Amino acid sequence: MAETTGRTAIWGILADPIHHVKTPQALNALMEEHGVDGVMIPFHVGSGGLDSLVAGLRSMHNLKGFVVTVPHKTAIVDLCDEVSEQAQAIGAVNTVRREDDGSLVGEMLDGAGFVAGLRQGGVEPRERSVYLAGAGGAANAIAFALAQAGVSRLTVANRTRSKSEDLRQRLAKHYPAVSVEIGSPDPSGHEIVVNATSLGLREGDPLPLDVNGLSSSQVVAEIIMQPETTALLAAAKERGCRTHPGRPMLTCQLELMAKFMRMIP
Ligand code: ATR
């Protein structure tokens, strides 16, 4: 980290627990690369302290923005002065910019990072039919970003059907041009297949979908970063599918966050 001075700008990350977060390391390295006189600091805050911390951050002139992660992504929405339409629809914010007057602008970039990562990998989701496994926090953000990116058809398949139905209804309301359906574990008939569940993270996890429904014309994308080749990606490769790993979602998202918080141009 470069030497801090009275002019050093500050960014934060709000989380509980916080010891595992790697965003400060990544964004501090990015600032160094860009020659920014700034620093990102982990702010360990529990749910009970969120309101008062955020009120304090508003009056801190050298605080330019903060990243928000578990468990605060939902609670922060109502503490922002302005929230993008998409973040409002998802009901979660993960990046906040502090304007010079102290007002806070929130955005949700989990899904945008996934779409940017796909595009970086040469996969354009516009006008494509997409199968999405999962309806949790990550899947919600990705579903809205895919709808925003102009997919033609989106099939949501989740173990708990009520959650996929809820996601389908919210998507249909905000993106009437996208055909949204509830799917079975079989991903056949879709051009892009996405695992947005947490399955694959732990050894011995069941597969998130029926891999017998995969064929070589499909792209299979993961959100799991570790291991890099999940059981799903291995099975997809065996069937001749083009595969897309989880890592680009994170790297692209970090850059989007840095730009949104005006850390880098
Ligand atoms: P995240 O914020 O990482 O998305 P989450 O909101 O807890 O985490 O969502 C986890 C997703 O993985 C959900 O879609 C969950 O399915 P349920 O909604 O039915 O819980 C899915 N998931 C986790 N464990 C699963 C399992 N053993 N089988 C099927 N789906 C599972």
Side-chain angles (χ1 to χ4, degrees), residues 133-139 158-161 163 196-199 202 206 223:
N158 192 51
R159 174 179 61 177
T160 309
R161 197 187 159 94
K163 279 164 73 178
T197 74
S198 51
L199 294 175
R202 278 168 292 272
I223 65 161

Side-chain angles (χ1 to χ4, degrees), residues 73-254:
K73 288 188 197 183
T74 307
I76 196 72
V77 175
D78 289 337
L79 300 177
C80 293
D81 301 287
E82 197 185 316
V83 162
S84 75
E85 199 189 324
Q86 195 169 100
Q88 195 83 56
I90 298 166
V93 153
N94 75 343
T95 313
V96 176
R97 178 172 69 228
R98 181 190 175 282
E99 302 289 8
D100 289 341
D101 64 359
S103 59
L104 302 176
V105 185
E107 180 58 288
M108 180 51 171
L109 295 169
D110 280 344
F114 176 79
V115 168
L118 263 189
R119 288 186 171 139
Q120 193 183 66
V123 181
E124 174 53 57
R126 181 167 295 278
E127 301 296 331
R128 298 288 197 87
S129 64
V130 180
Y131 175 96
L132 182 72
N140 263 265
I142 289 171
F144 273 85
L146 285 168
Q148 176 77 28
V151 299
S152 55
R153 179 175 154 229
L154 187 61
T155 301
V156 181
N158 192 51
R159 174 179 61 177
T160 309
R161 197 187 159 94
S162 56
K163 279 164 73 178
S164 24
E165 181 53 36
D166 173 63
L167 175 56
R168 188 192 70 75
Q169 282 181 16
R170 284 182 294 112
L171 279 168
K173 183 172 153 211
H174 289 274
Y175 295 95
V178 182
S179 153
V180 190
E181 295 154 26
I182 302 289
S184 72
D186 177 6
S188 58
H190 297 79
E191 294 166 286
I192 302 174
V193 176
V194 183
N195 174 35
T197 74
S198 51
L199 294 175
L201 204 53
R202 278 168 292 272
E203 216 173 299
D205 271 351
L207 286 160
L209 49 88
D210 182 0
V211 293
N212 294 316
L214 296 176
S215 58
S216 61
S217 60
Q218 293 170 317
V219 177
V220 178
E222 260 294 1
I223 65 161
I224 304 293
M225 281 183 289
Q226 193 57 251
E228 195 179 331
T229 303
T230 57
L232 172 65
L233 291 187
K237 276 183 186 160
E238 253 174 47
R239 286 161 178 79
C241 306
R242 180 171 172 183
T243 59
H244 180 80
R247 175 74 49 185
M249 172 177 173
L250 177 68
T251 50
C252 289
Q253 187 181 180
L254 286 169

